[in-house]
Each structure stands twice: as structure tokens, then as C-alpha cells.
Amino acid sequence: MIRTRAQAFDDYLVAAARTGDRKAFGLLARRWQGRLLAHAWRLTGDVDLAREAAQDGWIEIVRGLGRLRDDQAFPAWAYQIVSRRCTRRIGQRQRGRALVAAVTVETVPDSGKSDGSDTVATPALARALAALPPEQRAAVALFHLEDMSIAETAIALNVPAGTVKTRLMHARRKLRAALEGDL
């Protein structure tokens, strides 16, 4: 696989950061913060939850960077960490909601909902992507927008490669139907 300049620069930053170069780590964090935050948002659909998960992810990245042996594996590894943190945050939120529901069952029930929207090339595509289930939206974004391979996407999402292929197939079918319906 041919590495782009940006990928080679990221590889260098990872290697330098692993040796304790704080400036390199800061630059690496600036280069990757937006992508990891966008990934967290795609998985959670909630800006605040995504920020918390991405922040948790960076803490784990800082702690584990010294153990990462393949600099080129950083993108998939970092996405995988953020994916796990999103899963944990979603679980915590669901448990918290269940607790609140149990406590307030004798009072007035809560009916608040939150919804987000993604910004992509066209409004129609943004709507179509937002309508996808989170796991399909994440697979599409990593594979098509982040230009990751099936294997890298599988690592990032912590699922088998076959699952990524299936998610992409279903997502493409849904996107095609949604976009052809807008024409």
C-alpha cells in the first residue's frame, strides 16, 4: 500500500510521540482530534456524549501509545479506542436513564429527545447518512470518508471484516434508495 505524505507524517508523529516528544504528540492530537470527534459523533449521535467519549479515548491513547508497535496502525487503533469509549458512554447513559425512569415512575414521565445532524457534501447526502443506523454510518464514514481499508475499519469498530462488508452493503443500499428518491 502506498502511503501518502499525510500518512507518513502521522507515522512520524506517532513514532516521535512514543519516545516522549510532547510537541509531536500535541501535533498528532491536533491532526486527529477532529476525526476522532466526528467518529464519536457518528456512533453516539450526541455532541456532548461524543466529546466525552473522544476525551476518554485520548486519555487511553496517551496511556497506551508506548505499547503501540506499528506506527501505521495508529488510525485503526485510535478509532477502536474511541469506538469502545462510545460504547461505554452510551451504556452509562442508558443505565442512567433507566435509573431516572425507575425513580420517577411514580411522578410525571420524561419525554425529552435529542437529535443531531451531520454536515456532508450535500444536504440530501447528509440527511441520508444521518438516517443510517450508527454502526452503518460509522462504517461508511471510516471506509469512504477516512479512506480506511476493510481490515482497518474492522479493527477500528472492533468487529470482523465480514461485518464491515455487510454494514457497508446495507448502508449503500439505503443511501442509494434515499438519494434516488430525492432526484
Side-chain angles (χ1 to χ4, degrees):
M1 182 165 113
I2 298 173
R3 305 287 290 167
T4 66
R5 286 183 184 174
Q7 290 168 327
F9 185 56
D10 285 339
D11 295 347
Y12 164 76
L13 291 175
V14 169
R18 276 195 356 242
T19 66
D21 185 336
R22 292 177 148 229
K23 188 174 180 180
F25 184 81
L27 199 55
L28 182 69
R30 273 184 256 134
R31 289 176 55 83
W32 279 90
Q33 175 62 20
R35 289 186 244 180
L36 294 177
L37 185 57
H39 176 65
W41 183 87
R42 286 187 294 265
L43 291 174
T44 64
D46 181 278
V47 174
D48 293 331
L49 196 59
R51 284 186 183 132
E52 292 169 5
Q55 182 64 35
D56 290 348
W58 276 111
I59 292 168
E60 190 173 335
I61 288 168
V62 167
R63 290 179 179 158
L65 192 59
R67 293 185 304 273
L68 181 66
R69 295 293 165 230
D70 181 3
D71 300 336
Q72 293 180 6
F74 177 80
W77 178 72
Y79 281 122
Q80 181 183 41
I81 288 170
V82 172
S83 295
R84 277 196 317 263
R85 292 302 179 159
C86 287
T87 301
R88 288 179 189 155
R89 286 285 178 171
I90 290 168
Q92 289 170 347
R93 181 170 277 186
Q94 288 173 340
R95 285 187 296 278
R97 286 181 181 162
L99 180 61
V100 168
V103 169
T104 60
V105 73
E106 295 178 12
T107 62
V108 180
D110 185 20
S111 64
K113 293 184 179 180
S114 67
D115 191 17
S117 63
D118 203 354
T119 55
V120 182
T122 66
L125 181 56
R127 282 192 307 274
L129 282 170
L132 291 175
E135 61 276 356
Q136 290 177 8
R137 187 171 51 237
V140 166
L142 292 176
F143 184 75
H144 290 289
L145 302 178
E146 296 295 335
D147 201 28
M148 295 180 85
S149 69
I150 294 288
E152 291 171 325
T153 303
I155 292 168
L157 296 176
N158 202 25
V159 297
T163 302
V164 171
K165 291 177 183 179
T166 301
R167 288 177 182 178
L168 289 172
M169 177 191 68
H170 290 297
R172 287 180 188 128
R173 187 176 298 140
K174 289 175 185 174
L175 290 171
R176 185 178 306 115
L179 293 174
E180 287 174 354
D182 284 346
L183 296 177

